[in-house]
Amino acid sequence: MFSKNGYTLELATSEAAVGSNVPLQFRILDSAGTPLIRYADTHDKQLHLIVVGLDLTGFQHVHPELDEYGNWYVSVDFDHSGGYRVFVDFTPDGGDGITLSADVRVAGLYEPRPLPAAATATTVDGYTVSIEGAAHAGQTSKLTLSVSRDGIPVTDVESYLAAYGHLVALRASDLAYLHVHPDGHPGDGVTPAGPAITFYANMPSAEDYRLFLDFKHDGVVRTAEFTLTADSATTPVSEHAHYAHHGH
């Protein structure tokens, strides 16, 4: 079972076939085994679902629909065989935020792809996203991601999930899920709408991490992907990562 703080993620099935728009159904159970039906909104949604291959490819961030019985429904893409990790990020009504995870096995021959090398810039759909700021293990690191298109800074990034960007960070070695916090928010009178989007992240150990930035421009949400290497801190390393419990 995949439990934390008394809550358990229960997938309807842990096996799937390769395909697009594959139905995924699950429930969040409380400590009594009762489906959770009351959630507090976090970043404009009751629940955020992240899907990524165990080789850190095929990233998706989607928002399932909840029925009155506590069943969640969504469609995701399983574009290659092998294992995928499913993360659910939510806040029970009146409670604290929780991240749970479970694995789905997708039938077929698994040929994992190597982790891309660490880089300070990446491109997606004609946009270039660059990253500034060093990541130090065991410390809060300030990371600034800047968006440009055709060499021109984008200064009208649109609000998405109550922020100018949503950043997911996963440790490459074991897919530990890190909580990353944006700096400021749209409409606060001080946070500009790009090109720079700033986040604070805690990297628990000196190794590689995979970062996924969702940003919205011209009405379309795009995802920029980075590999970032955290270096050894000068202070003792402490485990600041928010771990999502999972099984194999």
Side-chain angles (χ1 to χ4, degrees):
M1 302 297 283
F2 319 106
S3 303
K4 185 177 176 67
N5 295 356
Y7 291 94
T8 300
L9 168 60
E10 181 186 76
L11 296 177
T13 179
S14 61
E15 298 183 352
V18 171
S20 299
N21 297 316
V22 178
L24 187 68
Q25 180 183 342
F26 61 93
R27 301 187 298 174
I28 307 298
L29 306 179
D30 65 17
S31 57
T34 304
L36 182 65
I37 58 173
R38 295 179 61 85
Y39 297 78
D41 280 2
T42 306
H43 296 292
D44 283 349
K45 298 291 182 181
Q46 287 185 304
L47 182 143
H48 299 264
L49 185 136
I50 306 296
V51 178
V52 67
L54 296 184
D55 61 358
L56 291 164
T57 64
F59 176 88
Q60 297 155 78
H61 176 181
V62 294
H63 302 105
E65 296 291 330
L66 177 67
D67 73 11
E68 59 185 304
Y69 304 107
N71 297 302
W72 289 96
Y73 300 90
V74 72
S75 294
V76 299
D77 297 333
F78 293 127
D79 60 7
H80 59 79
S81 300
Y84 284 79
R85 186 149 299 164
V86 175
F87 298 92
V88 291
D89 197 346
F90 65 95
T91 301
D93 193 31
D96 297 323
I98 298 172
T99 306
L100 300 173
S101 75
D103 288 354
V104 175
R105 292 183 298 275
V106 177
L109 179 64
Y110 178 42
E111 296 180 352
R113 283 166 256 189
L115 185 73
T120 57
T122 190
T123 58
V124 55
D125 292 346
Y127 292 81
T128 297
V129 181
S130 59
I131 186 168
E132 294 180 10
H136 303 296
Q139 299 179 0
T140 298
S141 299
K142 181 180 180 180
L143 304 175
T144 300
L145 293 93
S146 298
V147 183
S148 64
R149 183 166 62 173
D150 299 326
I152 301 171
V154 174
T155 57
D156 56 349
V157 175
E158 294 156 34
S159 178
Y160 174 61
L161 303 176
Y164 286 125
H166 187 276
L167 186 66
V168 169
L170 301 174
R171 187 160 60 180
S173 60
D174 60 359
L175 275 68
Y177 187 101
L178 280 62
H179 266 184
V180 180
H181 304 282
D183 184 25
H185 58 85
D188 62 8
V190 295
T191 305
I197 311 167
T198 298
F199 298 88
Y200 293 93
N202 286 306
M203 309 298 185
S205 50
E207 54 185 298
D208 288 335
Y209 296 80
R210 193 69 172 157
L211 274 55
F212 303 90
L213 173 70
D214 291 330
F215 66 96
K216 186 176 181 181
H217 189 241
D218 284 349
V220 177
V221 177
R222 296 170 175 86
T223 304
E225 304 184 4
F226 288 90
T227 299
L228 178 69
T229 303
D231 60 22
S232 297
T234 54
T235 54
V237 172
S238 57
E239 293 288 327
H240 286 300
H242 183 89
Y243 292 95
H245 288 210
H246 62 271
H248 296 284

